[in-house]
Amino acid sequence: MFDESSLKKIDSEYFNIILMDDRDITIQSRNTGHYWYLHCTEYPTEQSLIIFHKHFFKCPYHQHGRANTLNQAVRRIKGHDKYQLEVRKCI
């Protein structure tokens, strides 16, 4: 489960927060417009989660990876944004 202190650390200036509860978080990056769904599995640790991702609202989510903590997931999302903005735009 996500605890209240972890949930408060999600930067509302960086993300549009769509849904947030103790097991599921749906956010949108203000930088790329990509959507992220974070699901807490509580296994093997209390904050273990699966990261789902989609580029557009109407697209289905695909699994993007896993993280051991909410902070780790947010760092991975920001890393993905950086890649999208700095590397992919040059291709």
Side-chain angles (χ1 to χ4, degrees):
M1 286 173 101
F2 300 123
D3 58 18
E4 189 123 357
S5 65
S6 293
L7 294 173
K8 287 181 181 178
K9 291 180 183 175
I10 293 182
D11 184 357
S12 61
E13 290 184 24
Y14 192 92
F15 296 107
N16 289 321
I17 299 170
I18 298 168
L19 173 121
M20 189 182 303
D21 63 26
D22 63 344
R23 292 179 193 253
D24 299 294
I25 300 170
T26 304
I27 52 181
Q28 180 187 24
S29 169
R30 294 181 191 266
N31 292 322
T32 61
H34 293 187
Y35 292 85
W36 299 88
Y37 169 58
L38 309 174
H39 175 69
C40 182
T41 62
E42 296 186 348
Y43 180 83
T45 66
E46 289 180 7
Q47 281 201 0
S48 294
L49 52 103
I50 303 172
I51 304 168
F52 296 94
H53 171 251
K54 65 181 178 177
H55 291 250
F56 306 102
F57 180 76
K58 291 187 178 187
C59 294
Y61 281 103
H62 60 272
Q63 186 171 335
H64 191 76
R66 293 180 172 267
N68 295 322
T69 66
L70 183 55
N71 286 336
Q72 185 182 56
V74 169
R75 283 194 312 272
R76 289 183 181 174
I77 291 169
K78 288 182 177 182
H80 178 272
D81 281 2
K82 183 176 180 179
Y83 174 80
Q84 289 290 313
L85 296 170
E86 295 178 3
V87 178
R88 293 272 312 230
K89 80 173 189 177
C90 296
I91 296 175

